[in-house]
Amino acid sequence: MKGTECKFVEYMDGSKKRFVIPVYQRNYDWKIEHCRRLYDDLVKIITQNRKSHFFGSIVSVYDSNGRNQEFLIIDGQQRITTVSLLFLAMYNLLNNGVIASSESSLKQQILEEYLIDKWQPQETRMKLKSVKNDKVAFRKLFDKPSEYVRESNLTVNYEYFYDRIQKQEVTVDELFDAICRLQIIDIKLNHDDNPQLIFESLNSTGLDLTEADKIRNFILMNLSPKEQENYYEQYWNQIEIRTKYDVSSFIRDYLTVKQQTIPQKQRVYINFKEFVENSQLDTKSLLENILDYAKRYEILIGKSNSGERELDNCILRLNRLETTVTRPYFLEVLRLRDENKFTLTQVTEIFKIVESYLFRGIICDLPMGHQSKVFPFLHREIIRYDGTSDNYVEKLKYALLSRKERARFPDNNEFVTKFSQRNIYSMQSKNKIYILERFENFGTLETKDIYERCNNGTYSIEHIMPQNLTPTWQRELGDDYERIHKEYLDRIANLTLTAYNSKYSNDSFTNKKTMQNGFIESGIRLNQWLAQKSKWTLSELEERSDYLMGFALKIWAAPVTSYKPEKKQLETFSLDDDAELLTGQSIVKFAFKNTEQPVTSWIEMYQKVIQILYAEDKTIITKLAISKSDKISIYFSTNMNAFQRYIQLDDGIYLYKTSSTQSKLYVLKRLFELYNEDPAGLVFYLRDENESDSESES
């Protein structure tokens, strides 16, 4: 194996060279976003006068096959194929007279040095030998457009380059010059090397770079060695330490704050690059800002103290509940505290209100996924009421209390009813221990570390009325013992904490109370109430349920506020809400991918969202229109006569203009599955339900 640095064009140059993609390689799968980034880099090479740009490594096995030089591509097929598509787009544009070069020979140079061997027969003249269907799609790009394989990634990316080159951000001569400045590491294997083993080693073993690794490299790579060392020590290493080295998760929350949408985990680096390019922050300012948020994040993950014990305890509980979706919102709350907009007392109140909102949602079986559409936008929503952070706590109360349906703040009646009747014992361990910790420690400074004692086995959850009734228990409960046992066994009224669970076993209530270390001698506050009872029957179960529910309304209090914004707020729903809730309602705007767009009808929203998806990856919708392989394929076609009413997306792809709101949402939900998009990320802003719907077409 031997590796050397060289220019990418030098590697590809020569009509006799053949680049063979092995059959065990996957099909070409770069998307438009990858091509966009490559083209952006090429433009920057020219506009920023860069001498070179590293384009990765290419691993190949060289084989002299008669008159041709074949390179079996072990790693690097995506880059070779993409640049081949770019070269082909340049050639066709020049050949068709759409653009012109100052060098008359450029067209033929591109064709004969990088794309074909003109002395070979038509079927063997192409230098790039792709696999499977890619080979057909690439060959068709040399023909007239009507012959193109429209659903292929190669065709989609070729057309992207063909369209973008015409924008003349740089001339075709400058574009070619930029390609000539791409540098690679050319790694050629010996015949003694096993290509398949090396392929497996490159693609299957070892650890991939994390999103944080890519971000660190992106920030520091273009700095001088001295700057790299200084910035790493002063900023990046501090960020790593303060986030417990989970920088990828932190940056995801940081971007949620900055971009008002939650990035997909595998796209954090891509979103970060977009954020940096749009923010125009210099490296130092960027790192300073990230470090400021990392210091707040350190508090949220419990690594450092806030300076307020009650707040730190609340943060500990939220972490136990694993409510990480709230962190972007809390980062902004702590930022306002750092800017002296809040006192620590106000911050604590904000955290406790959110804790009540989250826990009531858990008890009332509200889907936690809906929180992902509440918290990224919550701070911005509160500020929008009057443009200030004044009266923030009251505005927070209003914002949460005004939520509806599955994102609602359950009221006291719903909360108490569900809580008292819920099977607590079958809940996740983190939730039931959280509940018992709150009942034990709320309102006292003499707290016990319930979590640690449950984790190490000192404490366990005790059924006061045992899981298996003895004859003694049957007599104590009375004739209706079967119903009482079935209804109340696992409810909160029948549960407590003890360090003597095995000792209590199925013993009678009297013995559990009076034995050594029984309820009377227990140091656990929850058991002090039990110690005052002489028996354990339906009456005591009901009494304890009422007692605990009264306590619960203090622990997880529902906020009360008289605040109302002067301007009426739009109601919001998202794509993952029940479609029936949206029937008959009028849409004003939608939010998707960090932007809000006003619309006058559901059909306008439908068209715009699908066009956004289509622009990102044309192949998915093109395949739906051509192959009819999916349940929503009937809504797409390449034939404009297939539908009475249609929307033209682009390039001869037609979308059925359905009149049903539910049908639109059905199609969008399936598209979001195919595009791996979170449906909670598409938010609709609606007019009041009582307002007339002026849409001529829903």
Side-chain angles (χ1 to χ4, degrees):
M1 182 186 301
K2 182 174 68 173
T4 57
E5 183 180 343
C6 72
K7 290 183 177 181
F8 182 76
V9 288
E10 291 175 356
Y11 181 82
M12 291 194 69
D13 188 14
S15 62
K16 300 302 179 187
K17 288 183 178 178
R18 298 292 185 272
F19 303 106
V20 182
I21 311 301
V23 293
Y24 53 77
Q25 293 269 27
R26 65 183 186 273
N27 278 328
Y28 174 71
D29 62 3
W30 267 28
K31 307 298 183 186
I32 286 178
E33 64 180 273
H34 303 105
C35 297
R36 181 184 297 115
R37 289 203 297 273
L38 170 59
Y39 202 96
D40 288 343
D41 287 338
L42 293 171
V43 171
K44 289 175 185 174
I45 288 173
I46 298 302
T47 58
Q48 299 176 9
N49 195 27
R50 298 179 184 175
K51 300 299 182 185
S52 64
H53 179 83
F54 182 61
F55 195 43
S57 60
I58 295 178
V59 182
S60 63
V61 177
Y62 171 69
D63 185 18
S64 180
N65 182 15
R67 63 182 294 169
N68 296 324
Q69 303 171 31
E70 289 197 348
F71 295 85
L72 189 72
I73 306 301
I74 307 303
D75 189 55
Q77 72 136 322
Q78 305 293 327
R79 291 184 289 278
I80 290 176
T81 305
T82 302
V83 176
S84 295
L85 292 172
L86 179 54
F87 274 141
L88 183 54
M90 294 164 67
Y91 168 76
N92 283 339
L93 284 166
L94 289 166
N95 193 48
N96 296 334
V98 179
I99 60 175
S101 168
S102 61
E103 297 182 26
S104 59
S105 62
L106 181 61
K107 179 179 70 172
Q108 291 306 116
Q109 182 182 354
I110 291 173
L111 179 67
E112 296 174 11
E113 293 297 325
Y114 306 111
L115 294 173
I116 69 166
D117 181 351
K118 68 177 181 178
W119 304 111
Q120 290 293 308
Q122 185 75 22
E123 62 274 10
T124 60
R125 66 195 317 215
M126 288 187 300
K127 294 177 56 176
L128 177 64
K129 293 186 176 182
S130 300
V131 296
K132 306 169 189 172
N133 297 329
D134 287 348
K135 183 185 297 184
V136 176
F138 187 65
R139 186 172 65 246
K140 292 289 186 182
L141 293 175
F142 287 82
D143 298 333
K144 55 187 178 181
S146 61
E147 298 295 317
Y148 293 174
V149 181
R150 298 289 303 284
E151 66 270 27
S152 170
N153 274 338
L154 282 90
T155 306
V156 170
N157 291 348
Y158 163 82
E159 291 181 332
Y160 170 78
F161 287 136
Y162 192 89
D163 292 339
R164 185 159 180 186
I165 293 168
Q166 294 179 63
K167 295 178 182 179
Q168 296 282 292
E169 298 158 87
V170 293
T171 67
V172 69
D173 300 291
E174 290 173 325
L175 180 59
F176 183 76
D177 183 46
I179 297 171
C180 290
R181 301 189 203 182
L182 295 176
Q183 295 277 349
I184 64 165
I185 301 298
D186 174 15
I187 302 175
K188 289 187 175 67
L189 306 183
N190 302 320
H191 288 287
D192 294 334
D193 297 319
N194 186 315
Q196 178 60 29
L197 290 179
I198 292 174
F199 173 76
E200 292 174 356
S201 176
L202 288 167
N203 290 278
S204 301
T205 62
L207 293 175
D208 292 335
L209 289 176
T210 66
E211 297 298 283
D213 291 333
K214 298 173 189 175
I215 290 168
R216 179 197 62 229
N217 295 349
F218 169 70
I219 292 174
L220 301 178
M221 188 175 291
N222 291 324
L223 301 175
S224 68
K226 185 175 181 181
E227 286 178 317
Q228 287 180 359
E229 185 175 347
N230 290 340
Y231 282 8
Y232 177 81
E233 292 297 332
Q234 188 174 355
Y235 298 109
W236 190 261
N237 191 39
Q238 289 299 310
I239 292 167
E240 290 178 323
I241 293 170
R242 292 178 184 275
T243 62
K244 291 185 178 179
Y245 294 91
D246 188 6
V247 182
S248 296
S249 296
F250 160 66
I251 293 292
R252 188 171 183 235
D253 288 337
Y254 174 80
L255 289 173
T256 301
V257 171
K258 296 296 184 179
Q259 298 184 315
Q260 292 293 288
T261 187
I262 303 175
Q264 296 177 17
K265 290 182 179 179
Q266 67 272 24
R267 290 180 56 87
V268 170
Y269 166 65
I270 294 171
N271 285 38
F272 182 83
K273 280 187 67 177
E274 293 172 353
F275 163 70
V276 172
E277 289 167 359
N278 293 332
S279 69
Q280 297 181 333
L281 290 171
D282 62 76
T283 303
K284 183 177 181 182
S285 299
L286 174 67
L287 286 169
E288 285 176 345
N289 189 254
I290 295 174
L291 180 56
D292 285 341
Y293 275 93
K295 293 174 182 176
R296 298 165 193 136
Y297 193 82
E298 185 178 25
I299 295 172
L300 293 182
I301 61 176
K303 189 174 181 297
S304 70
N305 296 327
S306 67
E308 171 62 49
R309 180 185 177 190
E310 196 172 355
L311 174 58
D312 292 333
N313 288 337
C314 183
I315 290 171
L316 172 64
R317 295 193 299 270
L318 289 170
N319 286 333
R320 294 282 187 175
L321 287 175
E322 300 176 3
T323 56
T324 56
V325 72
T326 60
R327 286 177 181 167
Y329 171 69
F330 286 145
L331 283 171
E332 287 294 79
V333 171
L334 293 178
R335 177 181 63 80
L336 291 177
R337 167 68 185 95
D338 291 343
E339 295 172 2
N340 297 317
K341 302 287 180 62
F342 298 152
T343 64
L344 273 176
T345 301
Q346 288 173 308
V347 173
T348 303
E349 185 177 3
I350 290 169
F351 274 67
K352 290 171 71 175
I353 290 169
V354 171
E355 181 183 10
S356 292
Y357 172 67
L358 293 171
F359 179 70
R360 286 187 177 219
I362 292 171
I363 289 297
C364 296
D365 281 324
L366 301 184
M368 291 303 292
H370 273 61
Q371 311 308 332
S372 64
K373 73 174 185 178
V374 172
F375 288 101
F377 307 107
L378 184 56
H379 173 70
R380 182 179 63 180
E381 177 184 339
I382 291 168
I383 297 300
R384 276 182 172 176
Y385 291 157
D386 61 9
T388 73
S389 60
D390 298 342
N391 207 17
Y392 191 95
V393 176
E394 297 305 307
K395 289 191 284 191
L396 167 64
K397 294 176 183 177
Y398 171 83
L400 294 180
L401 290 171
S402 63
R403 302 282 167 191
K404 296 183 179 181
E405 302 301 333
R406 290 185 282 182
R408 68 185 179 276
F409 202 129
D411 62 24
N412 288 344
N413 288 335
E414 180 185 8
F415 175 56
V416 166
T417 300
K418 292 287 181 66
F419 199 1
S420 61
Q421 297 176 2
R422 174 131 190 187
N423 183 332
I424 299 298
Y425 191 73
S426 66
M427 293 179 74
Q428 290 183 325
S429 178
K430 64 179 182 179
N431 291 336
K432 57 189 177 186
I433 293 174
Y434 165 83
I435 291 168
L436 292 168
E437 187 278 334
R438 285 287 70 217
F439 280 128
E440 178 65 20
N441 286 332
F442 180 79
T444 180
L445 295 177
E446 299 175 344
T447 58
K448 303 176 185 66
D449 192 343
I450 302 299
Y451 289 110
E452 177 59 27
R453 295 182 183 185
C454 286
N455 288 341
N456 65 25
T458 302
Y459 285 173
S460 61
I461 297 176
E462 161 75 5
H463 287 86
I464 303 166
M465 171 179 60
Q467 293 174 294
N468 298 304
L469 291 180
T470 63
T472 300
W473 269 103
Q474 293 176 9
R475 287 193 301 273
E476 289 186 4
L477 291 172
D479 293 340
D480 205 16
Y481 71 85
E482 288 184 343
R483 180 186 66 82
I484 296 170
H485 186 259
K486 182 178 179 180
E487 287 185 6
Y488 279 91
L489 175 66
D490 293 324
R491 291 182 182 180
I492 189 63
N494 191 52
L495 301 177
T496 190
L497 286 168
T498 181
Y500 301 96
N501 191 299
S502 60
K503 185 177 179 181
Y504 288 177
S505 187
N506 294 338
D507 220 335
S508 68
F509 178 76
T510 300
N511 287 346
K512 287 186 178 185
K513 186 177 87 168
T514 59
M515 69 172 61
Q516 185 180 5
N517 298 315
F519 294 148
I520 290 177
E521 296 181 1
S522 175
I524 296 174
R525 292 171 69 209
L526 274 169
N527 296 333
Q528 294 173 6
W529 189 92
L530 300 175
Q532 300 172 27
K533 302 301 170 184
S534 59
K535 61 185 187 302
W536 196 250
T537 65
L538 177 61
S539 176
E540 284 73 30
L541 283 164
E542 292 175 337
E543 185 182 356
R544 188 168 188 254
S545 180
D546 291 342
Y547 165 72
L548 291 177
M549 290 307 99
F551 208 12
L553 290 176
K554 296 177 182 177
I555 300 172
W556 299 283
V560 177
T561 184
S562 59
Y563 175 83
K564 284 188 177 180
E566 292 184 10
K567 184 179 179 181
K568 185 173 179 58
Q569 302 301 301
L570 295 172
E571 194 171 356
T572 61
F573 288 87
S574 70
L575 184 57
D576 63 344
D577 280 318
D578 186 349
E580 292 184 1
L581 299 172
L582 303 175
T583 301
Q585 300 211 54
S586 300
I587 187 169
V588 176
K589 62 180 177 179
F590 71 90
F592 184 46
K593 290 189 175 295
N594 199 32
T595 61
E596 289 184 0
Q597 295 193 40
V599 290
T600 58
S601 65
W602 286 102
I603 195 69
E604 185 182 357
M605 175 281 300
Y606 182 62
Q607 178 177 351
K608 286 186 174 181
V609 172
I610 292 179
Q611 284 176 327
I612 291 171
L613 296 173
Y614 184 65
E616 287 197 353
D617 185 354
K618 294 184 179 182
T619 58
I620 293 175
I621 289 176
T622 302
K623 287 175 183 176
L624 290 173
I626 293 175
S627 66
K628 303 299 180 186
S629 59
D630 193 273
K631 57 188 177 182
I632 62 168
S633 291
I634 58 173
Y635 293 90
F636 299 90
S637 179
T638 56
N639 179 8
M640 64 185 295
N641 297 317
F643 309 127
Q644 274 190 318
R645 300 182 304 161
Y646 62 82
I647 300 164
Q648 184 172 356
L649 295 178
D650 190 18
D651 308 328
I653 303 295
Y654 300 93
L655 168 67
Y656 175 52
K657 200 173 184 180
T658 174
S659 60
S660 164
T661 300
Q662 288 199 35
S663 294
K664 296 181 186 72
L665 299 177
Y666 166 76
V667 173
L668 287 175
K669 285 181 179 180
R670 177 56 182 155
L671 282 175
F672 270 54
E673 290 178 11
L674 296 173
Y675 276 87
N676 195 28
E677 291 284 351
D678 182 1
L682 175 57
V683 179
F684 311 123
Y685 293 82
L686 310 179
R687 297 191 189 99
D688 188 280
E689 291 183 16
N690 296 319
E691 293 183 14
S692 61
D693 187 347
S694 60
E695 293 179 359
S696 60
E697 183 176 26
S698 62

